[in-house]
Structures are given as structure tokens and as C-alpha cells.
Amino acid sequence: MATKKSIEEIISSENDKSLQQIGEKVFNKKRLNEEDGVMLFERASLPYVGALANYVRESLHGDKTYFNRNFHIEPTNVCVFSCAFCAYSRLYANREEGWELSAEQMMHIIKSYDGKPVTEVHIVGGVHPKLNMQFFIDVMKQIKAHRPDLHIKGYTAVELDYMFRKAKVSAEEGLKILQEAGLNSLPGGGAEIFHPEIREQICADKVNADGWLQIHEAAHKLGMHSNATMLYGHIEKYWHRVDHMERLRKLQDKTHGFNTFIPLKFRNKDNDMSHVKESTVIEDMKLYAVARLYMDNFPHLKAYWPMLGRQSAQLTLSFGVNDLDGTIDDSTKIYSMAGSEEQHPSLTTSQLVSLIKQAKREPVERDTLYNVIKNYKDIDVMEMEKNVLYN
Ligand code: V47
Ligand code: SF4
């Protein structure tokens, strides 16, 4: 663990005075401004920004690294939108190339986890023109009737915006109805890059920044928590990233409803942006580190291992990250179809615990809201592998 002294030495031996001042701000818990954020991306070395981010991470969480036991359901990949980075969606006209799960099929997936110690189902998919709000209300009621304690984290602000416009209800009204039907929290997807200069090039037709933020604000006001993502490493400039984080930080100051910030690495396979190079591991680590420093009011920073790959995800634990999402168990096509290293993302609990222990961190199983379920610090991975509940 980095000691106070060692971080002070690192800051004072930084030759670039502006970067040194940023380090002092971090050390003194003063907020970074947008200029600081851009400067870190442009000028800071990875070891410097990494040491600062690790210092913040360890001050907040020590070695604790959270994960949860969850699974994903993607109801459909048919989508009315056509985001340039998306390798997964199919337009309604080509829907025979995609899939649409019925309520029965979704319940079949839910029931396949009976007796398994999962705590969360993550439901995210395309925006199907024929699936309306009532369909999702009925599904959630069935899920809760079958397994009341399963936390439903579902529907991005993009899916919700379309659902609510179709049902002619406001975000507040729509979310209240969904909450009553069983929705517990919102995932962070659909945020991409908020600034219109980029948004208009990569996902012009879906909900804009203000719409996305309004939906999350409305959810927070109803007492629901949510996450926030940022799709990085494509055509955006550093200042677009900082602008994105700034908008999220402002809303968080107001509501304190976000749990986790999740940077998502752009993958370039089989989409309309295949000509755009993917970011390097160095750029990835730097992004996580700057995010940890900038998002000072977000308690958690998550690396989504299916998108990054397991090894890079392990590495992020030294660059500010304190959460690795979960076991995920899924055929999560949204990532494998865009060229992520994980073709069928799923880790057993013992594999995830082992991954965290190899990075010399402390694995802690959490529920969606970060209540601790179990600390695996003193649990032997070899013993876990013999127990069916962890495999
Ligand atoms: O918004 C799509 C991303 C997101 C690509 O809240 C891509 O816990 C990279 O919401 N390269 C949806 N990313 C996923 C999502 C999510 C994922 C994990 C955890 C949570 C959470 C939420 O997937 C989309 C988009 O940004 N995505 N295509 C691609 N080619
Ligand atoms: Fe549809 Fe989401 Fe893909 Fe965009 S990213 S095309 S909204 S499924």
C-alpha cells in the first residue's frame, strides 16, 4: 500500500510544476478542474498519474476489490437506433438476423439460476420498436414473484427514453411505474460521449446528454441508484472525456445517486467504426487513473473485464479501480460481437477471487448497492474450487 510519505515524495519529485500542483490538490483532497483533467491526459506520465490514482483508491477502499455474483439477460438485439460503434444491433427490417426473447424465455433464464447464489440480474438490450413498457412491467413482476430478493438492474436511459416517449409518460412517471413493478436500479449504458460534437457522429439518433442525465436524476430522486459509463478510445479528444466526466460529477453533487463510474473501452470489430484504432493498454490505464482522480464524488470505479480482457482488468486494480463487476455469466453478445477478448464472458466466483488475489488485493463480494456479502481474504482458492457453490 502506498504510504502518505511515499506519495508526498512522488509529488515533490515531479519536475513539471503544473503536474506537481495537481498532485498537491489530490493529496489535499481538493477538486480537480477541467484544465487539470486535460493536462493529466496530455502531460502526465503513467507512473505519476497511476501513483496518484492508487493513492486515492487505497485511501477510499484500502485493498478491497468488489465484485458481485450476477448474470445478464439481453432481451433483444433488434434496435431502432444505429450507433456507429455497435456491432450487435440489427434494424427491425433485418430482425431475422437478430433475436427477441419472449417473457417465457426470459423467465426460463431466470429459473435456470434457481438455487444458485446470484444476487443481481442485469437486463440491457436493443431498443425494439414493438416491445413496449407493459412487456417489461410484466416480465419484472414475474421475476419478483419468482425470486423477490433478486436485484433487477435494468434498462439504459436510451431504452427508457424510448419506452417513456412511446408510452407518453414523463421520466418521473415512467420510472415510478417500473420501480413499482420491481426495477431496483439503472445500469450506466447509453452515455457514450455526451458532447454533441462527438455524439452526433457516433450515435446521433438516440437520447442526448441532457435526456440521459434527466432520466438518471429522476431515478435518483425516487431513491434508485444508478451507474454511469463513458465509451472512450475512439474519435473523442481528451477534453470531450473531461467534459463527459464533468457533467456526471455535477449531477452527482446534486443527487449522490451514482454508485459507480464505468469507462468502456471502444472495440472496433464488425461495426461502422472498424477503421478507428483501439486504444493501447497504456492509454487504458491512464484513462482509469484520470477518472479516479477526476470523479472525486463517485465512490467506486469499475473495470468491466469482458470489454478490457482479464489481464488488463487485473492491471487496472493498480490504477484506481476497486470493482470488477461480477461473474456476469452470459452470452453477452454486445461485447463479443464488437471484438472484445471475451467471447463468452463468464467467470466462476473462484476464478474471479483468484484474479483479484493474484493482483494482491482483497476480494469482497457485494450486492448491487455495495453491501458486503462476503470477504474472501482468508478463504483458500483451492478449497473454493472444490465447492460447487463457487464454481
Ligand atoms: O452504452 C456497445 C457499450 C454499453 C461497444 O451499469 C460498446 O453495471 C465498446 O450498459 N465497444 C451498454 N463498448 C453496456 C452497459 C453496461 C455494461 C456493463 C456494466 C454496466 C453497469 C452497464 O455498451 C453501450 C455502449 O457504450 N458498447 N458497443 C463497442 N463496440
Ligand atoms: Fe441500439 Fe444500443 Fe446498439 Fe445503439 S448501442 S444501436 S442503442 S443496441
Side-chain angles (χ1 to χ4, degrees):
M1 197 183 267
T3 61
K4 256 190 166 184
K5 184 143 186 285
S6 66
I7 195 70
E8 280 177 293
E9 277 168 3
I10 290 169
I11 295 168
S12 62
S13 53
E14 170 59 49
N15 292 327
D16 183 324
K17 286 290 161 231
S18 304
L19 290 176
Q20 199 181 79
Q21 278 166 9
I22 295 178
E24 279 157 9
K25 275 192 182 176
V26 171
F27 186 69
N28 294 316
K29 295 194 169 52
K30 292 220 173 92
R31 177 162 273 196
L32 303 189
N33 60 31
E34 292 185 60
E35 204 185 318
D36 298 330
V38 173
M39 194 181 296
L40 284 172
F41 279 122
E42 284 176 348
R43 301 211 322 231
S45 68
L46 182 62
Y48 184 66
V49 78
L52 292 176
N54 194 46
Y55 173 73
V56 173
R57 183 247 203 255
E58 291 182 354
S59 308
L60 290 170
H61 305 288
D63 282 330
K64 289 194 173 58
T65 300
Y66 295 95
F67 68 92
N68 73 348
R69 296 214 243 180
N70 62 352
F71 62 103
H72 284 210
I73 298 182
E74 292 166 13
T76 182
N77 69 338
V78 174
C79 190
V80 294
F81 299 120
S82 39
C83 305
F85 53 81
C86 184
Y88 144 102
S89 66
R90 295 292 176 270
L91 288 170
Y92 187 66
N94 306 325
R95 63 191 181 282
E96 68 289 347
E97 292 171 17
W99 72 88
E100 305 171 11
L101 299 183
S102 62
E104 290 70 33
Q105 287 169 318
M106 287 175 72
M107 282 311 294
H108 184 74
I109 300 175
I110 297 283
K111 287 176 185 164
S112 70
Y113 288 90
D114 284 357
K116 294 187 186 166
V118 288
T119 57
E120 171 193 286
V121 56
H122 166 115
I123 308 177
V124 166
V127 180
H128 193 296
K130 305 272 180 223
L131 291 182
N132 56 26
M133 200 164 147
Q134 196 57 45
F135 173 82
F136 293 106
I137 291 171
D138 293 343
V139 169
M140 286 194 293
K141 283 188 175 162
Q142 284 186 51
I143 296 175
K144 289 291 180 181
H146 182 74
R147 195 163 174 174
D149 57 342
L150 189 66
H151 182 109
I152 304 178
K153 179 181 74 178
Y155 318 114
T156 64
V158 174
E159 293 167 273
L160 294 172
D161 171 67
Y162 187 83
M163 223 187 268
F164 297 158
R165 281 192 286 122
K166 225 175 139 196
K168 298 194 170 46
V169 291
S170 68
E172 290 74 14
E173 290 162 342
L175 281 163
K176 199 154 190 294
I177 295 168
L178 295 180
Q179 190 181 34
E180 277 160 13
L183 183 64
N184 298 108
S185 66
L186 306 189
E192 323 310 0
I193 287 285
F194 286 142
H195 198 281
E197 206 171 277
I198 301 299
R199 204 167 183 85
E200 276 158 21
Q201 294 182 65
I202 64 171
C203 55
D205 49 0
K206 71 186 187 188
V207 69
N208 65 14
D210 289 344
W212 191 100
L213 291 163
Q214 271 159 20
I215 287 177
H216 281 256
E217 183 170 359
H220 297 168
K221 280 191 183 145
L222 287 170
M224 278 194 236
H225 283 268
S226 72
N227 293 332
T229 57
M230 174 171 76
L231 181 70
Y232 75 91
H234 43 90
I235 57 168
E236 87 286 4
K237 301 266 188 291
Y238 293 144
W239 70 267
H240 295 119
R241 295 178 182 182
V242 176
D243 170 79
H244 187 93
M245 293 193 283
E246 177 62 26
R247 294 180 201 226
L248 290 170
R249 201 171 69 169
K250 273 206 182 106
L251 178 56
Q252 179 74 330
D253 275 343
K254 217 164 137 185
T255 63
H256 301 285
F258 288 116
N259 278 335
T260 317
F261 182 52
I262 316 164
L264 294 171
K265 178 188 171 88
F266 163 70
R267 308 305 304 236
N268 68 3
K269 194 174 143 229
D270 290 336
N271 55 37
D272 292 342
M273 291 170 71
S274 291
H275 57 285
V276 177
K277 266 198 185 152
E278 291 181 359
S279 54
T280 63
V281 179
I282 304 255
E283 285 165 341
D284 294 335
M285 296 309 129
K286 209 164 164 185
L287 181 277
Y288 280 97
V290 177
R292 182 59 285 171
L293 299 176
Y294 202 81
M295 305 298 265
D296 59 359
N297 54 6
F298 273 64
H300 304 284
L301 180 66
K302 185 194 281 191
Y304 192 61
W305 61 262
M307 209 48 135
L308 262 185
R310 296 170 199 204
Q311 291 182 351
S312 287
Q314 245 178 344
L315 207 54
T316 62
L317 301 182
S318 300
F319 292 88
V321 167
N322 70 296
D323 190 305
L324 286 187
D325 198 279
T327 44
I328 293 177
D329 202 4
D330 180 26
S331 45
T332 307
K333 298 178 185 71
I334 195 161
Y335 310 108
S336 53
M337 287 167 86
S340 102
E341 281 150 51
E342 306 289 340
Q343 291 307 304
H344 177 100
S346 180
L347 283 173
T348 64
T349 308
S350 58
Q351 285 170 328
L352 198 48
V353 164
S354 165
L355 206 104
I356 296 168
K357 286 195 172 191
Q358 281 165 12
K360 299 284 177 267
R361 299 294 191 184
E362 188 181 321
V364 178
E365 184 185 342
R366 60 163 174 86
D367 65 13
T368 312
L369 304 177
Y370 289 84
N371 298 304
V372 173
I373 294 181
K374 189 174 179 141
N375 190 319
Y376 288 78
K377 190 174 162 203
D378 299 321
I379 295 176
D380 184 44
V381 178
M382 303 277 262
E383 284 306 310
M384 286 178 73
E385 277 165 7
K386 291 184 205 151
N387 185 338
V388 70
L389 286 178
Y390 299 128
N391 291 291

